[in-house]
Amino acid sequence: MSTPSSPSPSCITSWSISEDSLRRYVSHASESCIQELLSASDSSREIGDDGWKVLAFENGVEISKRRSGPLHAVRSRWLLQSVSPQQFITVANAIDAAKTRLCSDLVEAKYIKDLGENLSIVHLKFGDASKPLFKKREFVVYERRETMDDGTLVVAVASLPKEITAGLLPKKSNSIRGLLLQSGWVVEKLQDDSCIVTYVVQLDPAGWLPRFFVNRHNTKLVMIIENLKKLVQGCPTSEAICEDN
């Protein structure tokens, strides 16, 4: 996946886009992301045949990398014992991911627009105490959730173009950044009420981050599954809650 050159923040203008046009754009982009996620999670392919190179495999966790132009997409696969797909999927979302892994100083996190039952727009805003990548930055992403015919659960999360993002927020902000070219979870059910979770991420520097830093941070982000697993297990009535949701 190539990264187009992006204008500097001061040159960004907002696009006026209708609800229908926004829905069509996000539906198309998220469908492409879902297909990428399903392809990346296909365990029937031989290692190496799909372009993924295994970096590490330990305690049931596989970390792999695939070069995509100048950037790297990174994938992690985890076998989660005694965690059902329904339990995990309740925390596999843009907001919980931001809270548990991206940064603790999350000033604002809310769904700002629903484009359908399974398609939403999310606004994430980070404060002064955030890590350098997120300090005083804002991100607007789409979140799409799908259940495949075989019961596999897929969640796709990726940034909207900054021009569209600026038109969705009530106030103009020069702190808006693109972040995720693609990311998301594929959750496959096993027979013993456990599941296999595949997470894929590719960050977009958009001209404001060194590429080596982006590639290094990609690798760190795939560890998000461990944090989300702890979030599920830390809830004393997680199973009941998950079933209710």
Side-chain angles (χ1 to χ4, degrees):
M1 184 179 297
S2 61
T3 305
S5 58
S6 300
S8 63
S10 60
C11 298
I12 294 172
T13 58
S14 63
W15 291 349
S16 177
I17 185 169
S18 69
E19 187 88 1
D20 286 343
S21 295
L22 177 64
R23 184 179 295 106
R24 285 196 298 270
Y25 174 85
V26 176
S27 295
H28 176 76
S30 60
E31 179 61 31
S32 177
C33 187
I34 283 176
Q35 295 307 316
E36 289 274 358
L37 292 171
L38 289 171
S39 176
S41 68
D42 186 358
S43 58
S44 65
R45 298 184 182 182
E46 293 292 332
I47 295 177
D49 288 351
D50 55 0
W52 290 96
K53 178 182 179 181
V54 177
L55 302 178
F57 187 87
E58 186 175 353
N59 297 325
V61 180
E62 174 198 307
I63 306 295
S64 305
K65 178 179 68 176
R66 183 177 66 187
R67 192 174 184 86
S68 182
L71 299 178
H72 299 145
V74 182
R75 175 184 72 187
S76 63
R77 280 181 175 151
W78 297 64
L79 170 61
L80 302 185
Q81 299 284 0
S82 301
V83 176
S84 70
Q86 289 72 27
Q87 284 177 286
F88 187 82
I89 209 68
T90 61
V91 297
N93 59 72
I95 291 179
D96 279 324
K99 289 179 179 177
T100 59
R101 181 59 182 167
L102 294 182
C103 186
S104 58
D105 188 28
L106 185 61
V107 175
E108 182 177 319
K110 64 181 181 180
Y111 290 87
I112 60 175
K113 187 180 289 289
D114 290 325
L115 300 177
E117 283 188 13
N118 63 345
L119 188 59
S120 302
I121 306 298
V122 184
H123 180 213
L124 304 172
K125 184 176 181 180
F126 298 90
D128 290 332
S130 300
K131 298 174 183 178
L133 179 61
F134 305 99
K135 185 175 182 179
K136 300 176 70 173
R137 302 294 189 190
E138 296 181 55
F139 305 96
V140 177
V141 300
Y142 66 73
E143 179 182 291
R144 179 170 174 177
R145 311 170 76 86
E146 291 287 350
T147 302
M148 302 294 106
D149 292 339
D150 63 356
T152 297
L153 304 173
V154 187
V155 182
V157 179
S159 294
L160 289 175
K162 291 188 288 296
E163 295 84 357
I164 294 178
T165 294
L168 292 175
L169 298 178
K171 295 181 180 180
K172 183 178 179 181
S173 173
N174 288 330
S175 62
I176 296 172
R177 294 291 185 271
L179 176 65
L180 297 168
L181 280 177
Q182 65 171 1
S183 74
W185 301 265
V186 177
V187 187
E188 303 169 77
K189 179 178 175 56
L190 301 179
Q191 293 181 349
D192 57 351
D193 201 31
S194 298
C195 62
I196 294 178
V197 179
T198 302
Y199 180 69
V200 178
V201 64
Q202 185 178 52
L203 294 182
D204 177 11
W208 59 285
L209 284 175
R211 287 174 179 170
F212 78 89
F213 183 82
V214 172
N215 291 329
R216 183 178 64 185
H217 206 76
N218 272 334
T219 305
K220 291 182 179 180
L221 280 177
V222 294
M223 304 304 288
I224 197 172
I225 295 177
E226 181 178 15
N227 297 68
L228 294 177
K229 177 185 176 183
K230 292 176 181 177
L231 186 62
V232 171
Q233 294 176 329
C235 179
T237 57
S238 59
E239 189 162 349
I241 292 173
C242 292
E243 289 175 355
D244 290 341
N245 290 342

